[in-house]
Amino acid sequence: MSHGLFDAAVNEVLRALRGIDPEQLQNAVAMIRRAPRVYLAGCGRSGYMMRAFTMRLMHMGLSACFVGDTCTPAARAGDLLVVGSGSGETGSLKYCAASAKALGMELLALTGKPGSTLGRMADALVVIPSGTPGKRPDGSLVLPSDARPEENSVLVMGSVAEISLLICTDALVSLLMEELGVSPDEMARRHANLE
């Protein structure tokens, strides 16, 4: 097998990450820093990336939890909901975001579609321009190849968006570590030890 496939995949992810506005990242860091508690949500593969982000925030000593887990406490006004959704149209996440807004929470959306429902609801955005599949009104997917042929990916479906989301959130962790003065050793001390 040729490494050309790997090179093409890495280049797609790099192109998406280079399209992220650094000012949006700094704004996201500021929102996370000032929130008493951070709630995170995502579905499918994006959900796994958001769970990884939740873990790193916990390792930094922040009060962070993933929406829907049995140990997730009640949210309050002033808390922050961070939603990761490539399409910005996932039904359960729109419901969650509406509930958060009704409680007086701030909403930060990490999405490839700033004009989506979640994008419009958000107080702030981190736009990850990765050719994410969109959704039609009937709920069916609009793949990037349907919309713009130049966005055809060597990876299946929304993989570039999901991989980019993981790297983007890890970059946010690095920025937060620097601003909060948290060391890798301090984070390692909070790592699970009952495994």
Side-chain angles (χ1 to χ4, degrees), residues 26-74:
Q26 288 299 333
N27 192 34
V29 166
M31 290 179 82
I32 292 167
R33 282 192 65 179
R34 72 174 173 256
R37 290 187 293 189
V38 184
Y39 293 78
L40 299 101
C43 292
R45 287 168 48 108
S46 294
Y48 291 123
M49 307 307 144
M50 296 304 289
R51 282 183 180 277
F53 190 27
T54 306
M55 177 188 286
R56 290 293 185 237
L57 294 178
M58 177 275 292
H59 287 158
M60 277 190 285
L62 299 178
S63 178
C65 54
F66 192 82
V67 172
D69 283 352
T70 54
C71 58
T72 301

Side-chain angles (χ1 to χ4, degrees), residues 93-117:
L93 296 179
K94 291 191 290 187
Y95 176 82
C96 180
S99 298
K101 297 293 281 184
L103 287 169
M105 295 174 70
E106 282 195 292
L107 175 62
L108 170 63
L110 311 180
T111 182
K113 307 287 184 190
S116 65
T117 302

